[in-house]
Amino acid sequence: MTAIPSFTGDANPYGGGDPYADYRTADFPFTQYADLADRRLGAGVIAANDEFFAQRENLLVPGPAEFDPEHFGHKGKIMDGWETRRRRGASADHPWPTEEDHDWALVRLGAPGVIRGIVVDTAHFRGNYPQAVSVEGTCVAGSPSPEELLGDDVKWTSLVPRTPVGGHAANGFAVDVEQCFTHLRVKQHPDGGIARLRVHGEVVPDPAWLEALGTFDVVALENGGRAEDASNLFYSPASNTIQPGRSHKMDDGWETRRRRDRGHDWIRYRLAAQAQIRALEIDTAYLKGNSAGWASVSLKDGEDGDWQEILPRTRLQPDTNHRFVLPAPAVGTQARVDIFPDGGISRLRLFGSLTREGASRLAARHQELGG
């Protein structure tokens, strides 16, 4: 694992122009994994002890935080993030916060999963960011209330120990805890503001739920599928193609740069587990002048298996959902969509059910991770 860059200390006061010109960031290796705190998956900030200046829900807003230097309200500067009031000490003799003082927010992940890395982004919080942050995780079945999560019987595991952070920076933390989590408790010490929270990891689906469904989308992110690699990510991530629901705008799919050679583009996926696929969909919603011209889909069963084409190269229409029933069920653990020559698709759906071996392996992993 590459060392994670660390940013500490104040940023310069905003001096006009592009507010991101002096923003501090880095390429964090764990961002290859999906964001488990994506609202499209159902994530939410369900409680916070204080949100005096800026609302807690801003933490999970997609896209980078925005900054308007002229935007003030009756409480003060309005920020695109979660910001608490300044803490004070107990008396005039001790006006400073104590070492234990902190503010907190509870985050429900969009899907239970193993966390590989966390980004605490303090964009535009230049002199009002927290001195340090810490993050804990827990795994609680069902839909617990904030009061239940804060109960004495809930066990919290440290994912990010109390660590100094910098202002106007993407503060990244690699996580090495092989455990399934459903909720996070984010703490800022002693107070301040955080613009965005990103929680990168792998979805761990509930085998009992998938068994009850019977037939489902075996490559969907919420069911444990993931995009492992792609030929090109110029405009948007490949993981968009396995997000819930239909795309609602062009950048909610996968789009590549224009090719000027004789090649083609592709995405490779890992299915939830070994599955038998009987039907599929390729959607080009909102890709009107830039959808792929043709597409094919292939499956591979196991690491040593060969790629078998289950949908031959087929003409695609712009802004259209294409449905295909396979002539015979196909078994695999990995899938690949190839598009010709370039362009994009918004969603790929592979409908089927787990094989007996796939269900057994998934159940064993779920139990191992404490899901």
Side-chain angles (χ1 to χ4, degrees):
M1 177 72 74
T2 306
I4 303 297
S6 177
F7 305 107
T8 56
D10 290 348
N12 293 323
Y14 175 63
D18 178 8
Y20 274 105
D22 59 342
Y23 175 69
R24 294 174 287 178
T25 187
D27 291 327
F28 302 118
F30 51 73
T31 56
Q32 64 180 295
Y33 297 99
D35 182 8
L36 302 181
D38 193 323
R39 284 199 58 84
R40 289 176 294 179
L41 279 176
V45 187
I46 61 175
N49 71 305
D50 184 13
E51 46 186 333
F52 186 85
F53 286 112
Q55 296 175 333
R56 63 182 192 255
E57 287 86 358
N58 289 335
L59 284 172
L60 306 188
V61 170
E66 299 180 357
F67 180 70
D68 181 352
E70 305 299 326
H71 197 191
F72 285 83
H74 65 279
K75 290 183 179 180
K77 181 73 185 72
I78 295 176
M79 297 292 288
D80 183 10
W82 167 50
E83 185 181 4
T84 65
R85 71 192 77 201
R86 298 186 187 220
R87 283 183 172 269
R88 296 294 185 240
S91 67
D93 291 334
H94 297 279
W96 310 279
T98 69
E99 186 67 17
E100 293 74 29
D101 280 346
H102 67 273
D103 292 316
W104 54 264
L106 291 178
V107 177
R108 179 190 64 240
L109 298 180
V114 178
I115 296 169
R116 301 301 183 193
I118 295 172
V119 177
V120 177
D121 190 345
T122 58
H124 315 304
F125 290 96
R126 295 170 176 269
N128 50 350
Y129 61 94
Q131 182 182 30
V133 300
S134 60
V135 183
E136 301 165 296
T138 190
C139 186
V140 179
S143 304
S145 67
E147 292 74 22
E148 290 170 322
L149 288 169
L150 295 172
D152 294 336
D153 58 333
V154 173
K155 176 185 176 184
W156 291 89
T157 300
S158 176
L159 302 178
V160 178
R162 182 169 175 167
T163 307
V165 294
H168 196 44
N171 300 276
F173 306 92
V175 176
D176 186 21
V177 180
E178 286 295 318
Q179 215 174 308
C180 182
F181 296 100
T182 59
H183 296 78
L184 300 185
R185 181 162 59 187
V186 180
K187 296 180 180 179
Q188 47 178 340
H189 309 266
D191 54 34
I194 298 171
R196 296 288 188 266
L197 177 74
R198 306 298 186 221
V199 184
H200 297 278
E202 302 171 57
V203 174
V204 178
D206 181 354
W209 175 253
L210 298 184
E211 182 181 2
L213 293 179
T215 297
F216 59 93
D217 181 2
V218 299
V219 76
L221 184 59
E222 61 188 325
N223 294 332
R226 66 180 188 268
E228 290 192 313
D229 199 6
S231 60
N232 187 271
L233 303 172
F234 190 84
Y235 286 111
S236 43
S239 59
N240 278 355
T241 60
I242 54 175
Q243 289 283 359
R246 294 198 72 197
S247 172
H248 294 291
K249 55 181 181 171
M250 191 174 72
D251 66 351
D252 190 24
W254 170 61
E255 182 189 355
T256 70
R257 71 179 76 198
R258 299 187 188 213
R259 278 189 172 270
R260 302 306 187 197
D261 59 20
R262 295 291 181 177
H264 73 281
D265 290 311
W266 51 268
I267 304 175
R268 189 181 75 242
Y269 304 90
R270 176 77 55 175
L271 307 185
Q274 187 189 62
Q276 186 180 70
I277 296 169
R278 294 182 287 276
L280 62 90
E281 291 182 357
I282 300 175
D283 196 352
T284 59
Y286 288 90
L287 295 165
K288 299 180 179 181
N290 48 357
S291 67
W294 292 261
S296 64
V297 178
S298 303
L299 281 187
K300 185 169 81 165
D301 190 24
E303 298 304 319
D304 299 325
D306 296 323
W307 288 104
Q308 304 291 331
E309 195 172 66
I310 61 172
L311 179 73
R313 193 179 303 190
T314 301
R315 189 73 167 97
L316 299 182
Q317 299 300 322
D319 195 26
T320 301
N321 192 25
H322 309 76
R323 291 181 170 177
F324 307 93
V325 176
L326 301 185
V331 174
T333 57
Q334 294 168 272
R336 192 183 71 223
V337 61
D338 293 88
I339 64 170
F340 304 89
D342 56 21
I345 62 173
S346 60
R347 297 290 188 269
L348 175 71
R349 306 297 189 206
L350 301 177
F351 296 105
S353 53
L354 299 184
T355 63
R356 181 173 298 180
E357 177 184 344
S360 176
R361 287 176 180 263
L362 191 66
R365 175 167 169 74
H366 189 261
Q367 184 176 22
E368 175 188 348
L369 295 172

